[in-house]
Amino acid sequence: MPQNAAIRPHLAPVIELKSQTRADKADNRDNSDYFVTMAERSEHREQTPDEQSAGEHSLSKQSLIGATEARGLEALISRAARAGKGPAPVERWNPEFCGDLDMEIKADGTWFYLGTPIGRMPLVQLFSSVLRKDADGKTYLVTPVERVGIRVVDAPFIAVEMNVSGRGNDQVVTFRTNVGDVVAAGPGHALRFVDEDETGGLKPYVLVRGRLEALVARPVMYELVEHGEEIDIGGKAMFAIRSGGEVYPIMPAEKLKRLSA
């Protein structure tokens, strides 16, 4: 792989992000789950269907845009995402668009809110569980009753670790993202490789869910291409990666030889 290959790894003005107080830091619950103390408290237990329905009804009385502080925003989303249960079924929800939130995911995967980095990983993981990218190319936070736009500089996730098992057609490449998703490249989770013209580098992406992708971080990309091989695809020799029974072309084998010369 050429040494110059490069990867860039990666409104609610009334909402205020607050740094943790000593009391917050002393409360281990803030670091162990996504539920937070709020004016409308909820117990840390499995909800009954009636309670889940009531929770979604309460969402209709509140707003992501109108939340008065970061914890209020977190609480709203936690009820939609059913905290700790994995990604929410956002593809099944069709709420109205309610405006844009001043939230941005930078190219290196760092989440910013009102220009300030979000330092609490449980909060970032919670937000990521209700992300959806629509056919219009925009990315949203989605609850059963509300859809708000956020900005994404490149990809919403970063693949920060990988594992390879098997060989040949049985090879499987599995990635872990910066927000805790584990994805095996293959059917439904395609790999794609994009040439970065301004640097001459290469940017690999893996589809995580829906239309949401993870950019493969630079060190992981170098590890990934070590498992590449020359494969005939449609009568053309390609340097490619196998995973999950599928073949993902990286570049023509001839181009790789030129770059490596």
Side-chain angles (χ1 to χ4, degrees):
M1 192 65 196
Q3 294 298 315
N4 65 342
I7 290 183
R8 294 178 181 172
H10 294 36
L11 296 216
V14 296
I15 302 176
E16 178 185 1
L17 276 179
K18 297 181 178 179
S19 59
Q20 284 188 312
T21 63
R22 291 183 180 178
D24 290 330
K25 293 177 180 178
D27 186 352
N28 289 331
R29 291 176 302 173
D30 276 353
N31 295 322
S32 62
D33 59 46
Y34 304 155
F35 288 101
V36 294
T37 302
M38 57 183 182
E40 182 183 344
R41 296 181 67 94
S42 60
E43 296 296 328
H44 294 201
R45 58 180 172 81
E46 196 71 25
Q47 290 182 315
T48 67
D50 287 344
E51 288 171 329
Q52 291 170 357
S53 177
E56 291 190 1
H57 177 70
S58 70
L59 277 170
S60 66
K61 298 180 180 179
Q62 301 176 65
S63 167
L64 294 174
I65 294 293
T68 56
E69 57 178 274
R71 289 195 167 194
L73 180 62
E74 181 178 1
L76 289 176
I77 292 178
S78 72
R79 291 196 292 279
R82 294 175 188 173
K85 303 299 182 183
V90 294
E91 304 300 329
R92 300 204 303 264
W93 297 340
N94 295 293
E96 292 185 4
F97 176 63
C98 300
D100 293 319
L101 197 64
D102 189 6
M103 184 176 286
E104 182 175 50
I105 305 175
K106 299 290 188 181
D108 66 355
T110 303
W111 289 58
F112 278 74
Y113 181 67
L114 294 178
T116 302
I118 301 176
R120 291 181 57 211
M121 181 49 65
L123 182 55
V124 170
Q125 290 173 321
L126 179 59
F127 288 158
S128 73
S129 71
V130 292
L131 274 183
R132 190 177 80 193
K133 185 175 182 180
D134 287 357
D136 60 8
K138 297 180 181 178
T139 304
Y140 303 90
L141 296 178
V142 183
T143 74
V145 297
E146 192 166 9
R147 177 168 53 97
V148 297
I150 69 169
R151 301 184 302 277
V152 179
V153 174
D154 194 335
F157 311 130
I158 304 295
V160 295
E161 186 178 5
M162 64 167 278
N163 178 74
V164 178
S165 61
R167 292 177 179 275
N169 290 329
D170 296 325
Q171 179 169 284
V172 176
V173 182
T174 303
F175 298 93
R176 179 179 64 83
T177 74
N178 60 319
V179 294
D181 294 296
V182 176
V183 178
H189 299 286
L191 273 169
R192 69 182 182 99
F193 297 83
V194 177
D195 290 325
E196 194 172 30
D197 295 333
E198 60 269 28
T199 66
L202 188 69
K203 298 173 70 172
Y205 296 85
V206 60
L207 185 62
V208 177
R209 60 179 180 272
R211 297 182 180 89
L212 301 173
E213 292 182 307
L215 172 65
V216 179
R218 188 195 310 249
V220 181
M221 183 203 72
Y222 290 146
E223 183 180 356
L224 177 64
V225 297
E226 289 178 0
H227 297 275
E229 57 184 295
E230 188 172 313
I231 301 174
D232 184 277
I233 301 177
K236 186 174 183 179
M238 298 291 293
F239 183 64
I241 291 284
R242 298 181 190 269
S243 184
E246 296 191 347
V247 176
Y248 300 103
I250 300 175
M251 65 177 68
E254 182 180 340
K255 178 180 178 181
L256 178 62
K257 290 175 182 177
R258 289 200 311 269
L259 293 172
S260 303

